[in-house]
Amino acid sequence: MEKSNTTIDFILLGLFNHTRPHLFLFIVVMTIAIASLNGNALILLLILLDSRFHTPMYFLLSQLSLMDMTLVSTIVPKMAADYLSGKKSISPAGCGLQIFVSLTLGGGESFLLAAMSYDRYVAVCHPLRYPVLMSWQLCLRMTVGSWFLGAADGLMQAAATLSFPFCRAKEIDHFFCEAPILVRLACADTSVFENVMYICCVLMLLVPFSLILTSYSLILSSVLQMHTTEARKKAFSTCSSHLSVVGLFYGAAIFIYMRPKSYRSDNHDKVVSAFYTIFTPVLNPLIYSLRNSEVKGALKRWLRKCANAKPQYT
């Protein structure tokens, strides 16, 4: 197949067609995306303004909200503009930027979730040693490390993906540029890159996921030793909800990046990618923050303060 110049734009075929059922699904997805942005922005604002939340646990939650907001803002506006305008082109630079940002945030969130699980493990299993085992210095190191490792992976995969020559048919059957999808269009041997990408995924996905499972296993073991039934129920409820969101995020990412090439399907890839780029970000503030009594209390105080601050006219 004839190769094309890298200056020619790619075409994103998108997630939806212009039919009534797909229009309804588009509205649903946009509603979820807006709810995700508002929910994460609210959590970020509460943690920033309330000094009681200036702790390592809530700082990690604020970073999770920041990552989710940025991820949704990177993907959804372009997808919506393409669907509404019918102009589906994206430049190689824009495509590379989407790959870099999505992998930076996805990889960073993978490590950040592992750091959050360690924080919960220390809080539940070693509460008296929490200030030592989860110091601010360690918290900042884990946060910076999460961002740095995600950015390093994103930069490497974006540069390597766009270095391949692409065939004339540069249609991407997806709603944003994602490295495994784009590599299929390459008119060159990509086996070495795919092997390297697989190794990166083991380090970026399976290792943090294993640490999370280990942390929550130790937490559940500690919970089983609690004397009160109410405390056990509350702890089980919290752990199960956290693990469900973690499973959704890691399961979708592993499905996209670690599945054998022969088993890949464009339609499946689009739906699964939507889970960890659009749906999971709206669940994170609900599961990690808004179910928290301290956060709900701070939200009520903030709303009362806003109501009392309304100007009174005489």
Side-chain angles (χ1 to χ4, degrees), residues 35-49:
S36 173
L37 290 173
N38 289 335
N40 283 293
L42 181 60
I43 297 303
L44 202 58
L45 189 63
L46 285 175
I47 293 173
L48 181 66
L49 296 179

Side-chain angles (χ1 to χ4, degrees), residues 23 51 54 58 73 99 109 147 153 198 301:
L23 177 60
S51 60
H54 295 174
Y58 288 107
S73 301
I99 294 174
E109 185 164 331
W147 282 99
D153 182 54
Y198 186 86
R301 288 193 299 271

Side-chain angles (χ1 to χ4, degrees), residues 285-299:
L286 294 174
I287 297 299
Y288 287 103
S289 301
L290 295 180
R291 292 177 76 241
N292 185 312
S293 59
E294 293 179 354
V295 174
K296 287 191 289 188
L299 179 59

Side-chain angles (χ1 to χ4, degrees), residues 26-314:
F26 172 75
I27 294 172
V28 170
V29 167
M30 291 304 299
T31 303
I32 292 172
I34 293 170
S36 173
L37 290 173
N38 289 335
N40 283 293
L42 181 60
I43 297 303
L44 202 58
L45 189 63
L46 285 175
I47 293 173
L48 181 66
L49 296 179
D50 197 325
S51 60
R52 280 166 288 196
F53 294 143
H54 295 174
T55 63
M57 183 186 81
Y58 288 107
F59 179 76
L60 293 174
L61 280 173
S62 71
Q63 295 302 298
L64 181 66
S65 292
L66 179 60
M67 287 180 177
D68 285 340
M69 285 178 60
T70 310
L71 183 62
V72 172
S73 301
T74 301
I75 293 171
V76 174
K78 171 64 178 171
M79 179 195 73
D82 289 350
Y83 181 77
L84 295 173
S85 68
K87 297 178 182 179
K88 300 183 177 183
S89 63
I90 184 170
S91 67
C95 201
L97 183 62
Q98 277 198 335
I99 294 174
F100 170 71
V101 174
S102 62
L103 283 172
T104 296
L105 298 169
E109 185 164 331
S110 178
F111 286 108
L112 189 69
L113 288 171
M116 291 170 64
S117 71
Y118 170 76
D119 173 81
R120 291 298 81 210
Y121 158 72
V122 174
V124 173
C125 299
H126 303 283
L128 298 179
R129 299 180 62 196
Y130 184 86
V132 176
L133 296 176
M134 192 60 194
S135 63
W136 268 109
Q137 186 179 25
L138 178 60
C139 177
L140 293 174
R141 284 179 178 176
M142 289 193 296
T143 302
V144 172
S146 298
W147 282 99
F148 175 78
L149 291 172
D153 182 54
L155 183 62
M156 182 198 72
Q157 290 204 39
T161 302
L162 292 178
S163 68
F164 291 114
F166 293 98
C167 302
R168 182 168 294 278
K170 301 180 75 172
E171 292 184 345
I172 305 172
D173 193 5
H174 210 49
F175 60 96
F176 72 101
C177 288
E178 203 165 18
I181 313 300
L182 203 61
V183 165
R184 298 180 202 172
L185 302 179
C187 294
D189 182 14
T190 61
S191 57
V192 174
F193 170 72
E194 290 180 25
N195 290 333
V196 172
M197 186 167 65
Y198 186 86
I199 295 172
C200 287
C201 288
V202 170
L203 298 174
M204 302 288 288
L205 294 173
L206 294 186
V207 172
F209 187 51
S210 299
L211 293 174
I212 291 172
L213 291 180
T214 301
S215 294
Y216 278 104
S217 296
L218 294 172
I219 290 173
L220 289 174
S221 176
S222 179
V223 166
L224 290 174
Q225 299 175 20
M226 292 181 177
H227 300 293
T228 62
T229 305
E230 188 65 28
R232 282 200 299 268
K233 285 183 179 180
K234 184 178 180 181
F236 273 123
S237 174
T238 301
C239 288
S240 61
S241 58
H242 286 191
L243 285 174
S244 63
V245 176
V246 165
L248 183 61
F249 173 80
Y250 283 96
I254 290 170
F255 183 87
I256 293 295
Y257 285 92
M258 301 190 70
R259 194 167 35 129
K261 196 173 183 179
S262 57
Y263 290 94
R264 289 176 182 169
S265 165
D266 291 333
N267 288 331
H268 291 163
D269 287 345
K270 286 191 286 188
V271 173
V272 174
S273 292
F275 272 99
Y276 80 90
T277 57
I278 300 173
F279 298 128
T280 303
V282 79
L283 293 176
N284 284 336
L286 294 174
I287 297 299
Y288 287 103
S289 301
L290 295 180
R291 292 177 76 241
N292 185 312
S293 59
E294 293 179 354
V295 174
K296 287 191 289 188
L299 179 59
K300 290 177 181 177
R301 288 193 299 271
W302 185 69
L303 291 175
R304 280 197 298 267
K305 187 177 179 180
C306 290
N308 295 332
K310 288 182 179 180
Q312 297 180 351
Y313 299 98
T314 57

